[in-house]
Amino acid sequence: MYSGAAAAAGPPRRDFISVALGPEEAIGVGGYNNSKAWRRRSCWRKWKQLSRLQRSVILFLFAFLAVCGVISYTSMGETWKSITNKSLDDQRTEQEIPRLKLANPAVLPAPQKADANHGDYPELSLQKPPKLPHVRRGPSNLQIKAPQRDTRLKTRHETMRAVEELVKEEKVEKTEKSIISWRGAVIEPDQSTEPPSSKITEPEKPSSLEAEDQKEPVPINERQLAVIEAFRHAWKGYKDFAWGHDELKPLSKSYSEWFGLGLTLIDALDTMWILGLKEEFEEARKWVANDLVFDKNVDVNLFESTIRILGGLLSTYHLSGDSLFLEKAKDIGNRLMPAFKTPSKIPYSDVNIGRGTAHPPRWTSDSTVAEVTSIQLEFRELSRLTGDEKFQKAVDEVMKHVHTLSGKNDGLVPMFINTNSGQFTHLGVYTLGARADSYYEYLLKQWIQGGKKENELLEDYMRAIEGVKKHLLQRSEPKKLTFVGELAHGHFSAKMDHLVCFLPGTLALGAHNGLAADHMKLAETLIETCYQMYAQVETGLSPEIVHFNLHAQKGHKDVEIKPADRHNLLRPETVESLFYMYRFTGDKKYQDWGWEILQNFNRYTRVPTGGYTSINNVQNPSNPEPRDKMESFFLGETLKYMFLLFSDDIDLINLDKYIFNTEAHPLPIWVPA
Ligand code: DMJ
């Protein structure tokens, strides 16, 4: 403090604290003397001149300042220590990142986020990425490396160590947390009885992962090689004449366009991955990266583009770990959402993915029941991966609504539903074939996908199978084959679509997941029937629809075929069910039946210049009348299921960890067994 005026005014008042440092004190009287002794003496003199009160106040001030100094030093020390520790931790984390990258990328379980896209999903960026190791599958000698994968740790031993550490860390984390939080929601790890469809759960590590990873890969066999050869032949035709287009027309060496989105290429991506076709996969990936554009003024069918494009992209993302496929899946998923903007929330059949508009078919405001109830696996998975609930909400709402609807017959549903009223229409006709088939399939599969907690789905599935048994099962003559017919206004028809042959596989999958054992018995009976739909036909290939004989007639087989139904579109359903049956029973006859079918596809549908074709007449081996079209599901489903059927490696798409969508695209089970 400086107060020259106070010094000049005489002795300071005792109650007024003032330290006067006049110029004379600063420079000394008579000249400048800055010696230490002089300064000490001068300070002491000054101190003596102060009153007792002034001295006490100064002493108190010094003491106070000293205490403050000590306190702030201690707390600064703590802060400094924690900063130092944190930076050490950070360094450690950075060192661990390569290991995480190696073990985690992709495959399965982890709902992986596209790393480049945190900006789009800010809430997700707060989430700790699940530490679930990625076990790459596919034939060992044809293993494909993930396109964007960290390859720093290369040996099996190193990988295993990384996996072990991650598993350990995860265990610690689990015991520390009694609840888990995902996208801001707090969820009990052990699910309660709350309606599960409203919840999105965090996926967990497959329990058998460690053991699985230690197993030596099973070598591929001759039959699998034959499937690879068939795939390559089909792919050659597509590549030469239809690259980037929807479907190959192998005879005219051209292509057909449905949505104009490279349907065959996308449908085939995960098949290439599973078959180990690295070069083909890389080439197709480039097309997806550079040429697949969804911003197009084009009408697409919601169901078809969901199961083939969205499903194909999601499964390829899971298998490869390549975020490109997730980005594309998000894009198409968002573009399909306008379909749900209807008065009833039952989606329209068609969406213009460029304009963002949706509409029903021109002649009706109805949608097909199978279509609106077989898009759930894909949209639910998209929600889980992106953290955006809107996809799951939209499709769950459809299922909840259908659950409550009247017009069912012992769990069997009509084929149409109105997008305005939300009610079933065309009541009284029940089939497990076209327009209803995958409704039943997705009841079971959603229940499995979600960890077997969504009871309404299970109830609807179980009731429907009872409905099938009660109303639709009959036995044919002379072989007494059990088949699934149709019911139209109380009248039974002995007609069965080839599409119904998904059912044995679905029943077997349900039984494998703990449902009634008699479902497995029924599956065994029905797959025999589906096989006979091939075996009793001249080309050894099934027609699109058969009619079973209910009465024995001399010279008649069980299976009758009407001229309008004798085409074969290279469909997968029987091979699909054979795959499930072989996986769950180990009975080699299922592989043999599949092998016969593959040979007959080669005999009657293979086009020498590349590709396979659907045919018009399965009853005429000398001229099956090629139709000049290779459906995308031949590569997406039929050949994939063939390859898996011939494999003895149950970990090649383990059915306790993956659930196949209705287009054969495997998606992770959220809570694997
Ligand atoms: C595929 O697109 C799907 O399997 C769908 O569920 C039914 N139709 C074809 C195959 O036949």
Side-chain angles (χ1 to χ4, degrees):
M1 277 175 274
Y2 177 75
S3 177
R13 283 167 50 193
R14 291 193 167 228
D15 55 356
F16 180 71
I17 304 165
S18 161
V19 179
L21 293 172
E24 70 279 15
E25 281 85 8
I27 56 172
V29 178
Y32 180 68
N33 181 351
N34 198 27
S35 77
K36 267 188 190 164
W38 184 89
R39 271 185 283 147
R40 250 197 317 266
R41 265 196 317 272
S42 156
C43 280
W44 181 242
R45 206 172 44 241
K46 248 342 190 182
W47 177 253
K48 288 301 243 180
Q49 284 168 359
L50 294 175
S51 70
R52 205 178 305 144
L53 177 66
Q54 283 173 318
R55 275 188 245 155
S56 310
V57 168
I58 289 169
L59 282 175
F60 172 77
L61 274 175
F62 274 120
F64 178 74
L65 286 173
V67 170
C68 286
V70 170
I71 289 171
S72 63
Y73 175 80
T74 322
S75 81
M76 266 177 66
E78 284 301 316
T79 314
W80 182 247
K81 215 159 76 185
S82 81
I83 288 169
T84 316
N85 284 348
K86 189 171 177 301
S87 76
L88 282 174
D89 282 347
D90 287 348
Q91 281 170 28
R92 216 173 300 136
T93 313
E94 273 165 28
Q95 284 157 9
E96 281 167 2
I97 284 170
R99 278 189 298 141
L100 284 173
K101 277 191 186 154
L102 175 89
N104 196 15
V107 172
L108 223 201
Q112 300 215 356
K113 293 177 292 155
D115 27 13
N117 222 33
H118 288 191
D120 288 1
Y121 298 94
E123 75 277 27
L124 258 188
S125 65
L126 296 172
Q127 294 298 311
K128 200 171 181 183
K131 296 169 180 173
L132 298 174
H134 176 156
V135 180
R136 212 154 287 280
R137 287 287 156 196
S140 57
N141 49 346
L142 292 166
Q143 286 267 0
I144 301 170
K145 254 189 263 147
Q148 296 178 342
R149 204 160 164 233
D150 188 320
T151 51
R152 263 173 282 184
L153 290 185
K154 286 202 179 85
T155 69
R156 192 166 190 76
H157 180 66
E158 282 169 320
T159 309
M160 278 309 299
R161 263 190 23 215
V163 170
E164 275 164 20
E165 276 180 43
L166 289 172
V167 170
K168 253 188 255 160
E169 277 173 32
E170 195 173 52
K171 275 183 194 153
V172 172
E173 207 169 89
K174 269 197 183 152
T175 45
E176 277 172 1
K177 283 188 192 170
S178 62
I179 48 174
I180 51 174
S181 108
W182 190 69
R183 293 187 306 101
V186 177
I187 305 160
E188 295 291 336
D190 257 329
Q191 298 293 318
S192 63
T193 51
E194 183 191 331
S197 50
S198 64
K199 288 184 191 173
I200 301 171
T201 54
E202 192 170 24
E204 288 176 9
K205 181 182 74 67
S207 53
S208 60
L209 195 65
E210 271 174 289
E212 181 189 321
D213 200 46
Q214 283 166 4
K215 279 184 207 153
E216 280 311 309
V218 179
I220 53 171
N221 56 46
E222 290 291 312
R223 287 178 175 181
Q224 286 179 290
L225 282 174
V227 179
I228 290 174
E229 193 282 325
F231 184 96
R232 280 210 162 115
H233 183 76
W235 191 248
K236 174 187 164 11
Y238 179 74
K239 199 179 152 185
D240 289 352
F241 310 122
W243 184 252
H245 298 285
D246 283 343
E247 291 133 348
L248 167 68
K249 293 178 78 176
L251 293 178
S252 51
K253 299 191 174 69
S254 62
Y255 56 85
S256 56
E257 225 55 300
W258 188 7
F259 308 143
L261 297 172
L263 209 55
T264 296
L265 188 148
I266 300 174
D267 227 358
L269 283 167
D270 58 3
T271 307
M272 290 185 265
W273 185 273
I274 291 167
L275 268 56
L277 299 175
K278 176 177 177 158
E279 261 176 46
E280 289 85 346
F281 181 84
E282 294 291 355
E283 213 175 343
R285 183 202 180 272
K286 262 187 215 142
W287 184 86
V288 172
N290 302 327
D291 300 296
L292 178 58
V293 177
F294 293 127
D295 190 9
K296 275 186 172 175
N297 180 9
V298 61
D299 276 358
V300 303
N301 174 282
L302 170 69
F303 164 73
E304 297 291 358
S305 48
T306 298
I307 64 169
R308 300 185 198 213
I309 299 176
L310 179 56
L313 291 168
L314 287 174
S315 72
T316 306
Y317 167 65
H318 276 292
L319 294 173
S320 69
D322 186 340
S323 60
L324 165 72
F325 300 106
L326 180 56
E327 290 310 306
K328 293 289 180 186
K330 280 191 259 185
D331 191 5
I332 187 69
N334 275 307
R335 289 172 186 278
L336 292 174
M337 288 307 283
F340 296 90
K341 284 190 199 144
T342 69
S344 65
K345 307 265 180 68
I346 297 297
Y348 290 131
S349 58
D350 297 282
V351 192
N352 187 304
I353 52 173
R355 289 196 186 141
T357 54
H359 59 87
R362 228 169 282 140
W363 59 91
T364 177
S365 55
D366 288 352
S367 284
T368 298
V369 170
E371 291 194 357
V372 301
T373 55
S374 313
I375 49 180
Q376 278 66 15
L377 293 176
E378 299 82 358
F379 278 96
R380 283 156 50 115
E381 178 60 10
L382 186 59
S383 268
R384 194 181 73 105
L385 289 170
T386 61
D388 190 340
E389 276 180 329
K390 72 175 177 222
F391 306 111
Q392 171 153 12
K393 264 193 177 165
V395 294
D396 278 352
E397 207 160 319
V398 175
M399 292 314 293
K400 279 193 193 126
H401 177 77
V402 170
H403 174 74
T404 63
L405 280 184
S406 58
K408 290 180 200 157
N409 186 3
D410 290 318
L412 302 176
V413 290
M415 295 187 289
F416 297 98
I417 186 165
N418 190 271
T419 50
N420 293 321
S421 68
Q423 299 298 309
F424 288 131
T425 63
H426 302 79
L427 301 184
V429 181
Y430 303 100
T431 173
L432 260 80
R435 300 190 183 278
D437 49 359
S438 42
Y439 160 73
Y440 304 101
E441 179 189 349
Y442 267 37
L443 286 175
L444 178 76
K445 288 185 172 179
Q446 285 175 81
W447 178 71
I448 294 171
Q449 177 192 44
K452 305 186 200 173
K453 293 160 197 143
E454 293 156 282
N455 294 332
E456 286 182 356
L457 295 167
L458 180 60
E459 271 167 35
D460 288 350
Y461 176 74
M462 294 302 280
R463 197 166 294 139
I465 300 304
E466 289 312 303
V468 169
K469 286 192 218 161
K470 186 169 164 191
H471 300 288
L472 304 183
L473 287 190
Q474 285 273 5
R475 294 177 90 190
S476 67
E477 294 293 344
K479 285 202 164 181
K480 307 207 181 308
L481 303 173
T482 300
F483 68 93
V484 184
E486 295 184 355
L487 196 65
H489 310 291
H491 293 289
F492 180 79
S493 158
K495 164 181 178 270
M496 180 165 155
D497 293 354
H498 181 271
L499 287 170
V500 182
C501 288
F502 80 92
L503 187 60
T506 299
L507 286 168
L509 181 65
H512 174 75
N513 278 279
L515 303 187
D518 71 329
H519 285 200
M520 193 61 190
K521 283 268 157 274
L522 182 56
E524 282 166 2
T525 322
L526 288 175
I527 191 62
E528 168 78 37
T529 306
C530 289
Y531 168 62
Q532 289 299 327
M533 286 165 65
Y534 287 70
Q536 293 196 10
V537 180
E538 288 79 350
T539 55
L541 292 175
S542 170
E544 180 74 356
I545 300 169
V546 299
H547 287 77
F548 285 93
N549 282 317
L550 292 174
H551 308 288
Q553 280 176 283
K554 219 176 162 207
H556 281 243
K557 299 176 189 163
D558 300 72
V559 164
E560 297 282 342
I561 305 167
K562 304 207 165 170
D565 305 332
R566 60 189 183 197
H567 50 286
N568 178 299
L569 304 183
L570 312 169
R571 285 197 191 276
E573 289 77 17
T574 296
V575 182
E576 169 186 354
S577 283
L578 288 171
F579 157 64
Y580 284 104
M581 296 308 292
Y582 180 66
R583 269 287 167 97
F584 297 138
T585 66
D587 188 337
K588 297 261 181 214
K589 80 176 174 205
Y590 298 124
Q591 287 186 325
D592 294 342
W593 292 353
W595 181 237
E596 275 177 38
I597 294 171
L598 177 62
Q599 285 173 305
N600 289 326
F601 275 134
N602 274 329
R603 212 165 277 146
Y604 298 108
T605 70
R606 185 172 165 118
V607 178
T609 45
Y612 287 73
T613 178
S614 47
I615 53 174
N616 261 333
N617 191 353
V618 291
Q619 292 180 296
N620 188 351
S622 57
N623 181 15
E625 299 169 31
R627 273 193 166 189
D628 195 18
K629 182 158 171 179
M630 184 173 77
E631 301 279 349
S632 77
F633 51 68
F634 183 62
L635 300 189
E637 296 193 70
T638 312
L639 292 180
K640 184 189 290 152
Y641 281 132
M642 288 268 189
F643 187 81
L644 294 171
L645 163 65
F646 299 142
S647 168
D648 283 312
D649 182 1
I650 62 155
D651 291 320
L652 182 57
I653 313 296
N654 187 316
L655 290 174
D656 292 325
K657 294 168 188 168
Y658 288 95
I659 192 86
F660 284 93
N661 85 340
T662 193
E663 189 74 7
H665 297 303
L667 300 172
I669 293 172
W670 297 347
V671 187

